[in-house]
């Protein structure tokens, strides 16, 4: 049998209503605040059971549920509510079912005083009948272990049962004399129970009763408003009773304080009152979930009636609480229920909460990402829903990212946000060409092909050519500018270019002067490699695309007789194009030789060209041009390590000392250095030359042979270090004396 749960409505922050006005199928509140929990009615076997019987209690294990009824039956159910096993325990109400952690052992007690503790699979155990109703039973959490065969029962006294080594059961009265025991919770070594006077805690290891937490509102009958208990951890007990919540922490007493006192004590770390009567309380991380019994007064009849129970999430504080969420739960027969008719059970370690009432079992659980997406979609928050699905794509089970995206596109189209819808197609439709084609048809039906045309796939993944042709054909009829834009932007192999060109020429036969369509035809000719026909259109239209076409496809042979035409409608581009053909250097070179000034605006470009292709003519050009930018020329020559050209430029720019330094250090040419110093006729340059040469015999020799007419040679000779060997020194000195004699007057 397929598992089934019935979703049912809840009202968030439910307003007052009388029983006559209530409707079990009331609509869910459309609040903008997203609910924290979702609710499902357990059906299947549970529905069948509760048609003939009424639920009295339930216990939850991670693997199954155990439901007790007013007719004395206990049913084992799977977590979907399907019955797997049935036990006829009594003919009267089952008061409590207790399971150990393993889920293999169960304790059951009923209103007629029967107590049964047995293995679900072995059926071995204890069957006991008391002379008073047994309200509660609790087996040791580790009952499956041989050393933990213990359980407690609660009627008008609290009894501990322990199996001895002789396989017999030993009974110990732990407490009596304070009325009926109505609740027991066992955690580790601690047993907590509630009676008419308050809540007690017993340490099974030390055999000591630790504390008594008094009942708050003593005016409430404990059988009508029973106590709710749960252990938050091994040492923290939470008590909900009437309209009061207490959080009790079990602590170790200091050795010096023990004396005759128990080794442990309880400190109430949080205490606050609630608005409504508590029917159940359970943990949710660091928060509590609370089931409230609600009584309200009708304004019309001034009559008190039972309203829907509330299921709240609260954040506890030391002396108050903060309401996180609040839902009014529509359970069957809530109008007749009392506070004691409701139970709240939960699965340890899971955020699953079961709200039990006589005619209904409702499962409350935290909403997952699918629920979150449902809520967003219900409020048309498609973009947020899509983002949530993408972030949690590994965890969502009921939603598909693409389906959400397509719904989002449809929503945008409905709103008239056509461009946004088209843009979203790229991300949402991705590589699914079938979906792309469906969306194109949808855009066509609403007359918005222009919006989607800009975003169509045009890379490795493509639509069928007929889709692109359909769009081009539509624009050719209705929107020439968009047609031309797509021809310009779309790769030519997306569609059948010849058929589009044929259709286009048909239009041009009627509109031969339509520049937009003519340019589009030139583009189509270019895609089809009919460059001459494309060039003819561009030249006719005086369109500057002609230059790009000529350069890109090497159409220089086609323009020999069209140079004047090109120069006429764009002189600059025409010259630039000529510079880029194979004769580009000789063209400017000849122009410069003919007239140094006519092509002056291209002198900077000419420097680049000479440096790249014709260095021998670079230095003469630099010497002859008065229009070339010296800084740019220096940068180009320096980058290429053109020393002679750099020396010239440095000298021309007035930096003679740097120029001389380059001759000496880069060229190592003393004759050029001397020649440069002679040209500049600057005493400081001669001094730099002498200083650089003084430790270089070859340079000294060159200076001695050439310096005489410009600098007193004695200044150089005095600086020569004693012992330095200088080649041809004798000949150099003779020459100096001869020059000196020639210069001296007789």
């Amino acid at each position: 049998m397929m598992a089934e749960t019935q979703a049912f409505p809840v009202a968030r922050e439910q307003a007052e209503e009388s029983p006559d006005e209530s409707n079990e199928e009331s609509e869910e509140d459309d609040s903008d605040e997203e609910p924290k929990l979702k609710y499902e009615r357990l059906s299947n076997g549970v529905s069948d059971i509760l048609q003939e019987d009424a639920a009295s209690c339930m216990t939850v294990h991670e693997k199954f549920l155990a439901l007790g009824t007013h007719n004395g039956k206990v049913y084992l159910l799977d977590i979907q509510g399907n019955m797997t096993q049935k036990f006829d325990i009594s003919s009267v109400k089952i008061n409590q079912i207790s399971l150990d952690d393993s889920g293999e052992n169960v304790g059951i007690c009923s209103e007629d005083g029967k107590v049964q503790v047995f293995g679900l699979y072995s059926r071995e155990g204890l069957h006991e009948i008391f002379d008073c109703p047994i309200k509660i039973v609790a087996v040791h959490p580790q009952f499956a272990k041989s050393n933990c065969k213990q359980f407690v029962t609660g009627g008008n006294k609290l009894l501990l049962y322990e199996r001895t080594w002789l396989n017999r059961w030993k009974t110990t009265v732990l407490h009596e004399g304070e009325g009926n025991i109505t609740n027991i919770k066992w955690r580790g070594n601690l047993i907590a129970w509630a009676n008419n006077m308050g809540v007690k805690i017993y340490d099974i290891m030390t055999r000591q009763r630790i504390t008594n937490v008094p009942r708050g509102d003593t005016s409430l009958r404990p059988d009508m408003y029973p106590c709710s208990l749960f252990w938050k951890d091994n040492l923290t007990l939470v008590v909900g009773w009437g309209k009061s919540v207490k959080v009790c922490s079990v602590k170790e007493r200091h050795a010096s304080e023990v004396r005759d006192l128990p080794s442990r004590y309880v400190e109430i770390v949080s205490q606050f009152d609630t608005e409504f009567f508590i029917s159940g309380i359970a943990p949710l991380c660091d928060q509590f979930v609370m089931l409230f019994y609600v009584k309200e007064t009708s304004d019309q009849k001034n009559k008190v009636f039972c309203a829907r129970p509330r299921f709240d999430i609260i954040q506890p504080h030391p002396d108050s609480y903060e309401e996180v969420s609040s839902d009014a739960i529509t359970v069957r027969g809530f109008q007749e229920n009392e506070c004691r008719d409701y139970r709240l059970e939960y699965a340890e370690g899971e955020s699953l909460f079961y709200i039990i009432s006589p005619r209904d079992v409702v499962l409350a659980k935290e909403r997952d990402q699918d629920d979150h997406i449902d809520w967003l979609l219900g409020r048309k928050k498609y973009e947020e829903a899509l983002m949530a699905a993408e972030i949690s794509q590994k965890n969502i089970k009921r939603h598909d990212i693409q389906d959400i995206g397509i719904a989002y596109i449809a929503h945008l189209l409905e709103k008239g946000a056509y461009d946004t819808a088209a843009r979203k197609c790229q991300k949402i439709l991705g590589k699914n060409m079938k979906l792309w084609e469906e969306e194109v048809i949808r855009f066509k039906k609403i007359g918005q092909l222009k919006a989607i045309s800009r975003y169509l796939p045009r890379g490795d993944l493509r639509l069928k050519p007929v889709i692109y042709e359909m769009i081009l054909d539509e624009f050719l009829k209705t929107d020439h500018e968009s047609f031309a834009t797509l021809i310009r932007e779309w790769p030519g192999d997306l569609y059948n270019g010849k058929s589009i060109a044929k259709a286009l020429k048909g239009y041009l036969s009627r509109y031969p002067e339509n520049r937009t369509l003519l340019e589009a035809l030139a583009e189509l000719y270019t895609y089809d490699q009919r460059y001459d026909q494309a060039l003819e259109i561009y030249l006719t239209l005086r369109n500057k695309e002609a230059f790009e076409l000529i350069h890109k496809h090497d159409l220089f042979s086609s323009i020999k007789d069209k140079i004047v035409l090109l120069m006429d409608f764009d002189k600059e581009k025409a010259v630039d194009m000529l510079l880029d053909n194979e004769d580009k250097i000789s063209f400017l070179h000849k122009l410069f030789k003919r007239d140094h000034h006519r092509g002056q605006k291209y002198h900077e470009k000419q420097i680049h060209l000479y440096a790249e292709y014709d260095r021998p003519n670079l230095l003469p050009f630099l010497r002859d041009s008065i229009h070339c930018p010296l800084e740019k020329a220096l940068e180009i020559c320096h980058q290429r390590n053109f020393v002679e050209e750099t020396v010239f430029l440095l000298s021309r720019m007035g930096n003679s000392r740097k120029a001389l330094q380059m001759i000496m250090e880069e060229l190592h040419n003393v004759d050029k250095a001397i020649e440069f110093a002679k040209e500049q006729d600057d005493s400081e340059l001669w001094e730099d030359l002498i200083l650089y040469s003084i430790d270089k015999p070859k340079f000294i020799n060159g200076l001695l042979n050439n310096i005489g007419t410009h600098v007193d040679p004695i200044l150089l000779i005095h600086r020569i270090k004693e012992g330095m060997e200088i080649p041809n020194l004798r000949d150099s000195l003779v020459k100096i004396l001869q020059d000196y004699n020639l210069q001296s007057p007789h």
Side-chain angles (χ1 to χ4, degrees):
M1 182 179 180
M2 288 293 291
E4 181 189 352
T5 55
Q6 296 179 354
F8 72 105
V10 298
R12 310 200 65 233
E13 296 288 342
Q14 184 82 15
E16 282 189 12
E17 59 180 20
S18 72
D20 297 332
E21 296 168 329
S22 68
N23 184 341
E24 290 192 8
E25 301 302 322
S26 61
E27 295 297 322
E28 183 169 353
D29 185 15
D30 288 331
S31 169
D32 283 338
E33 184 181 350
E34 184 174 1
K36 306 295 183 186
L37 301 169
K38 62 179 177 179
Y39 302 87
E40 298 169 352
R41 174 172 284 124
L42 283 192
S43 53
N44 301 325
V46 173
S47 295
D48 297 337
I49 293 165
L50 299 185
Q51 280 181 358
E52 300 177 356
D53 204 343
S56 59
C57 62
M58 194 171 88
T59 296
V60 178
H61 190 267
E62 61 181 10
K63 299 175 183 176
F64 63 92
L65 312 173
L67 176 68
T69 73
H70 279 258
N71 289 341
K73 308 293 190 293
V74 171
Y75 297 90
L76 299 189
L77 313 165
D78 64 20
I79 56 175
Q80 281 84 27
N82 296 301
M83 186 175 71
T84 60
Q85 206 167 349
K86 173 185 174 183
F87 300 101
D88 289 311
I89 301 298
S90 174
S91 59
V92 295
K93 186 173 75 167
I94 302 296
N95 283 328
Q96 181 64 27
I97 304 169
S98 174
L99 292 166
D100 69 348
D101 290 348
S102 71
E104 297 176 1
N105 299 280
V106 63
I108 304 169
C109 65
S110 56
E111 191 68 17
D112 57 4
K114 288 182 180 178
V115 174
Q116 295 187 27
V117 177
F118 58 89
L120 285 174
Y121 306 108
S122 68
R123 298 308 303 271
E124 295 179 1
L126 172 72
H127 297 256
E128 194 75 43
I129 300 179
F130 293 84
D131 58 2
C132 66
I134 300 300
K135 299 294 185 182
I136 199 83
V137 63
V139 298
H140 193 296
Q142 303 298 319
F143 191 89
K145 295 181 180 179
S146 59
N147 62 337
C148 295
K149 299 296 185 185
Q150 299 172 314
F151 67 92
V152 289
T153 63
N156 53 19
K157 62 180 70 172
L158 183 68
L159 294 177
L160 171 66
Y161 287 78
E162 301 173 280
R163 195 161 72 178
T164 65
W165 63 279
L166 293 174
N167 214 25
R168 294 179 179 174
W169 290 95
K170 173 188 172 185
T171 307
T172 306
V173 177
L174 298 184
H175 192 257
E176 62 182 328
E178 293 185 355
N180 282 331
I181 292 125
T182 55
N183 200 347
I184 301 175
K185 293 296 177 186
W186 194 331
R187 175 80 171 244
N189 295 319
L190 298 176
I191 303 171
W193 73 94
N195 59 28
N196 291 355
M197 304 302 293
V199 175
K200 279 71 173 173
I201 300 176
Y202 184 83
D203 189 333
I204 198 75
M205 291 298 290
T206 63
R207 304 285 169 155
Q208 291 178 317
R209 185 153 59 97
I210 295 174
T211 191
N212 174 51
V213 180
R215 180 157 67 100
D217 187 351
T218 55
S219 67
L220 297 174
R221 285 174 53 184
D223 60 325
M224 297 295 289
Y225 297 89
C227 175
S228 297
L229 301 171
F230 79 84
W231 286 100
K232 186 179 178 185
D233 54 47
N234 286 343
L235 296 173
T236 306
L237 178 70
V238 180
V239 180
W241 206 340
K243 295 183 179 180
S244 170
V245 175
K246 295 176 181 177
V247 180
C248 309
S249 179
V250 178
K251 299 188 175 183
E252 295 289 337
R253 203 182 297 275
H254 192 275
S256 62
E257 299 174 345
V258 172
R259 299 177 188 169
D260 297 328
L261 298 173
S263 59
R264 291 176 169 183
Y265 68 99
V266 166
E267 179 182 332
I268 297 176
V269 294
S270 175
Q271 180 173 345
F272 51 86
D273 292 332
T274 60
E275 183 180 355
F276 303 107
F277 294 109
I278 299 166
S279 288
I281 186 167
L284 177 62
C285 300
D286 64 335
Q287 299 172 332
F288 297 160
V289 293
M290 304 195 68
L291 178 62
F292 289 118
Y293 170 69
V294 181
K295 280 187 173 182
E296 293 182 352
T297 304
S298 169
D299 290 337
Q300 298 163 341
K301 302 175 184 177
N302 200 27
K303 177 184 175 184
V304 176
F305 63 91
C306 299
R308 290 178 176 85
R310 276 181 43 157
F311 197 68
D312 291 8
I313 300 175
I314 68 164
Q315 181 67 56
H317 300 299
D319 55 4
S320 64
Y321 70 95
E322 176 186 348
E323 184 182 287
V324 177
S325 73
S326 180
D327 299 326
I329 313 300
T330 306
V331 298
R332 293 189 181 104
F334 69 87
Q335 298 92 335
E336 291 84 33
N337 291 341
E338 297 288 345
C339 186
R340 63 181 175 181
D341 292 323
Y342 292 109
R343 301 267 186 122
L344 176 61
E345 299 291 342
Y346 65 97
E348 285 281 354
E350 298 182 45
S351 299
L352 299 175
F353 306 96
Y354 294 85
I355 300 164
I356 302 102
S357 67
R359 292 173 52 194
D360 222 346
V361 177
V362 174
L363 170 62
K365 53 186 174 182
E366 285 190 288
R367 294 165 61 86
D368 56 23
Q369 277 301 101
D370 280 300
D371 300 311
H372 176 55
I373 292 168
D374 281 337
W375 186 83
L376 292 170
L377 292 176
R379 282 149 182 79
K380 300 187 183 301
K381 298 182 178 183
Y382 290 95
E383 188 163 14
E384 292 177 47
L386 188 60
M387 188 182 303
E390 288 169 345
I391 292 170
S392 305
Q393 56 184 313
K394 293 182 180 178
N395 298 322
I396 56 176
K397 298 173 183 175
R398 292 188 285 105
H399 289 98
D400 178 77
I401 292 175
Q402 208 158 59
D403 290 344
I404 296 170
I406 291 171
Y408 184 23
I409 293 170
H411 172 68
L412 290 170
L413 292 178
E414 189 180 326
K415 284 173 56 182
Y418 304 119
D419 187 68
T420 304
R423 191 169 63 250
K424 294 295 181 183
C425 286
Q426 288 184 304
K427 180 180 179 182
I428 292 166
L429 306 181
K431 299 178 180 179
N432 192 321
M433 296 299 107
K434 182 175 181 296
L435 288 178
W436 267 108
E437 290 172 6
E438 290 173 359
E439 288 304 316
V440 171
I441 298 302
R442 191 196 304 204
F443 274 76
K444 183 179 188 301
K445 286 179 180 177
I446 59 174
Q448 289 298 326
L449 281 177
K450 184 175 182 180
I452 199 171
S453 63
R454 286 174 284 177
Y455 303 104
L456 293 181
R458 60 182 80 170
D460 294 337
L461 291 169
R462 299 179 175 191
L463 306 177
K464 295 172 184 174
V466 68
I467 297 292
Y468 301 102
E469 291 161 15
M470 175 189 74
I471 294 172
L472 289 171
D473 183 63
E474 179 79 15
F475 285 174
L476 183 56
K477 295 174 184 174
T478 61
D479 189 343
H480 292 166
E481 288 294 337
S482 295
F483 174 83
T485 299
L486 293 184
I487 292 294
R488 220 170 21 250
E489 294 179 353
W490 282 359
D493 57 349
L494 284 179
Y495 49 85
N496 186 327
K498 285 185 171 61
S499 67
I500 297 297
K502 183 179 178 181
L504 178 53
K505 284 192 283 187
Y507 266 83
L508 283 168
S509 65
R510 284 181 282 164
Y511 311 105
E513 303 299 321
N514 189 313
R515 184 182 181 91
T516 300
L517 294 182
L518 283 168
E519 288 174 347
L521 182 60
E523 290 279 358
L524 289 170
Y525 282 152
T526 302
Y527 293 144
D528 200 31
Q529 299 184 1
R530 289 186 275 178
Y531 303 123
D532 287 344
Q533 290 173 269
L535 181 60
E536 186 178 338
I537 292 174
Y538 284 140
L539 291 174
T540 302
L541 297 175
R542 300 168 69 86
N543 188 314
K544 295 180 182 181
E545 290 292 327
F547 296 105
E548 176 67 21
L549 191 69
I550 294 164
H551 181 76
K552 187 174 182 179
H553 300 290
D554 196 19
L555 303 179
F556 294 103
S557 59
S558 303
I559 60 164
K560 287 181 180 177
D561 58 343
K562 298 181 177 70
I563 297 293
V564 175
L565 178 61
L566 289 167
M567 294 283 286
D568 188 36
F569 73 85
D570 198 321
K571 182 179 178 181
E572 238 181 84
K573 274 191 175 288
V575 172
D576 286 343
M577 182 194 67
L578 292 171
L579 292 177
D580 289 335
N581 75 20
E582 60 184 7
D583 299 318
K584 54 187 173 289
I585 296 175
S586 60
F587 172 80
L588 277 180
H589 183 67
K590 289 173 184 175
L591 180 64
F592 182 72
K593 286 293 186 185
R594 191 179 303 125
D595 186 339
H596 287 0
H597 306 289
R598 188 174 178 187
Q600 60 182 278
K601 64 190 294 185
Y602 304 109
H603 282 196
E604 180 178 340
K605 184 171 286 190
Q606 216 164 333
I607 296 168
H608 280 281
L609 295 171
Y610 280 129
E612 191 70 29
Y613 304 107
D614 189 12
R615 185 182 174 186
N617 278 315
L618 176 58
L619 188 56
F621 173 76
L622 294 174
R623 291 183 189 280
D624 295 340
S625 171
I626 62 171
H627 303 293
C628 72
L630 297 180
E631 289 285 354
K632 191 66 181 176
L634 180 63
E635 180 186 337
I636 292 168
C637 293
H638 183 69
Q639 286 174 348
R640 290 168 169 76
N641 200 28
F642 290 176
V643 178
E644 290 192 37
E645 292 84 348
T646 303
V647 167
F648 168 75
L649 290 167
L650 286 170
S651 173
R652 185 168 167 183
M653 294 168 72
N655 197 346
S656 301
R657 298 184 75 176
K658 179 67 175 176
L660 177 63
Q661 182 182 352
M662 284 195 72
I663 295 172
M664 294 186 293
E665 294 181 356
E666 301 287 340
L667 297 178
H668 305 290
N669 190 325
V670 65
D671 295 329
K672 277 187 179 292
I674 292 168
E675 185 64 30
F676 182 79
K678 287 179 179 179
E679 288 176 3
Q680 302 300 315
D681 193 23
D682 185 335
S683 60
E684 289 186 1
L685 285 182
W686 282 109
E687 179 65 20
D688 289 346
L689 180 55
I690 291 170
L691 287 173
Y692 181 80
S693 306
I694 203 66
D695 59 349
K696 300 174 181 64
K698 182 180 176 183
F699 269 58
I700 291 175
N701 181 261
L703 283 171
L704 289 172
N705 288 331
N706 294 280
I707 201 174
T709 57
H710 296 275
V711 179
D712 186 352
I714 300 301
L715 295 174
L716 174 61
I717 293 168
H718 282 165
R719 296 188 187 189
I720 298 172
K721 292 181 181 179
E722 189 175 344
M724 179 182 286
E725 293 186 8
I726 299 171
N728 303 315
L729 178 61
R730 183 169 175 271
D731 296 340
S732 298
L733 291 173
V734 169
K735 184 176 183 304
I736 288 171
L737 291 172
Q738 290 174 346
D739 291 343
Y740 183 76
N741 289 331
L742 288 172
Q743 292 178 41
S744 300
H746 294 281

